[in-house]
């Protein structure tokens, strides 16, 4: 009964987040900047909460990351964007884990299960690389939630993998005001390349010793 209640609560939170994302119009970075200037000191907290809630849905978080750089500068912009993204990632992972509960490992086709097993052998590398390569944020949160990835690997890998791309987008916020930051393109290129290499390494899986069926050594 308790598990069912938690599952219904998780589903309800997801439905509310989707409704909010659909009903509430998504403002442009320039509109958000004007709004923050009008709100004053409470703006960072409000921005953080809106960012965290809306990005639990498939709506891209890029607009919020750009706006964070425009409104709060590179240091605070990166800090707020990463913190809000972490909250959103944890909520998405928790919802998927409550509703799906490692469904891929139990129900997926044989090839899918085999790939999932290989990826989860190096779960920290898999999570970090997936973030670096730029896989869509919310779908990745929910996908990882139904795999065998453990919480600690998900948290650490998400934090490490989010920082480079988030920083790059914050720097790219200069483009909205007419400038182009070469640092952002360099960061995108490096993080994407490292992420792709990491995913390829994870997909190969570890080499295992061939043991007899009873599990004893020959």
């Amino acid at each position: 009964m308790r598990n069912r209640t938690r599952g219904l609560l998780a589903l309800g939170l997801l439905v509310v987040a989707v409704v909010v994302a659909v009903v509430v119009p998504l403002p442009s970075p320039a509109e958000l900047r004007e709004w923050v200037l009008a709100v004053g000191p409470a703006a960072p907290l409000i921005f953080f909460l809106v960012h965290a809630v809306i990005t639990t849905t498939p709506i891209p978080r890029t607009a919020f990351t750009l706006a964070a750089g425009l409104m709060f500068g590179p240091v605070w912009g990166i800090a707020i964007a990463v913190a809000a993204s972490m909250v959103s990632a944890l909520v998405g992972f928790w919802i998927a884990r409550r509703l799906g509960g490692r469904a891929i490992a139990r129900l997926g086709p044989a090839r899918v299960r085999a790939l999932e097993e290989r990826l989860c052998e190096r779960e920290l590398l898999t999570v970090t690389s997936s973030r670096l390569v730029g896989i869509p944020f919310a779908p990745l949160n929910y996908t990882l939630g139904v795999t065998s990835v453990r919480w600690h690997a998900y948290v650490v890998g998400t934090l490490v993998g989010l920082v480079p791309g988030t920083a790059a987008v914050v720097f790219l916020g200069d483009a909205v005001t007419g400038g182009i930051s070469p640092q952002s393109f360099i960061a995108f290129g490096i993080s994407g390349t490292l992420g792709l290499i990491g995913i390829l390494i994870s997909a190969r899986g570890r080499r295992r010793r061939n043991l007899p069926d009873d599990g004893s050594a020959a």
Side-chain angles (χ1 to χ4, degrees), residues 95-142:
I95 291 175
R97 183 58 55 92
R98 297 305 308 172
L99 296 180
R102 304 180 182 182
I104 291 179
R106 295 199 309 266
L107 303 176
R111 291 183 179 179
V112 175
R113 292 199 304 271
L115 178 59
E116 191 265 350
E117 182 180 351
R118 290 180 184 177
L119 292 174
C120 290
E121 286 178 354
R122 294 188 175 100
E123 54 187 357
L124 179 58
L125 178 61
T126 296
V127 176
T128 304
S129 300
S130 299
R131 298 297 183 188
L132 289 172
V133 81
I135 296 174
F137 183 68
L140 180 59
N141 298 337
Y142 293 111

Side-chain angles (χ1 to χ4, degrees), residues 34-191:
E34 294 177 1
W35 174 81
V36 167
L37 293 175
V39 170
L45 177 59
I46 297 175
F47 180 83
F48 170 86
L49 294 174
V50 173
H51 183 333
V53 171
I54 291 183
T55 53
T56 58
T57 72
I59 292 179
R61 67 187 182 99
T62 306
F64 289 98
T65 310
L66 285 168
L70 287 168
M71 299 174 201
F72 307 113
V75 176
W76 282 106
I78 292 173
I80 294 172
V82 169
S85 296
M86 282 299 301
V87 171
S88 177
L90 293 175
V91 171
F93 186 84
W94 176 79
I95 291 175
R97 183 58 55 92
R98 297 305 308 172
L99 296 180
R102 304 180 182 182
I104 291 179
R106 295 199 309 266
L107 303 176
R111 291 183 179 179
V112 175
R113 292 199 304 271
L115 178 59
E116 191 265 350
E117 182 180 351
R118 290 180 184 177
L119 292 174
C120 290
E121 286 178 354
R122 294 188 175 100
E123 54 187 357
L124 179 58
L125 178 61
T126 296
V127 176
T128 304
S129 300
S130 299
R131 298 297 183 188
L132 289 172
V133 81
I135 296 174
F137 183 68
L140 180 59
N141 298 337
Y142 293 111
T143 299
L144 291 173
V146 297
T147 68
S148 300
V149 169
R150 291 171 292 182
W151 271 99
H152 73 275
Y154 179 78
V155 172
V156 175
T158 295
L159 179 60
V160 173
L162 277 178
V163 172
T166 300
V169 175
V170 168
F171 288 129
L172 193 60
D174 292 337
V176 177
T177 57
I180 297 179
S181 174
Q183 297 97 319
S184 61
F185 295 104
I186 295 174
F188 278 132
I190 294 176
S191 63

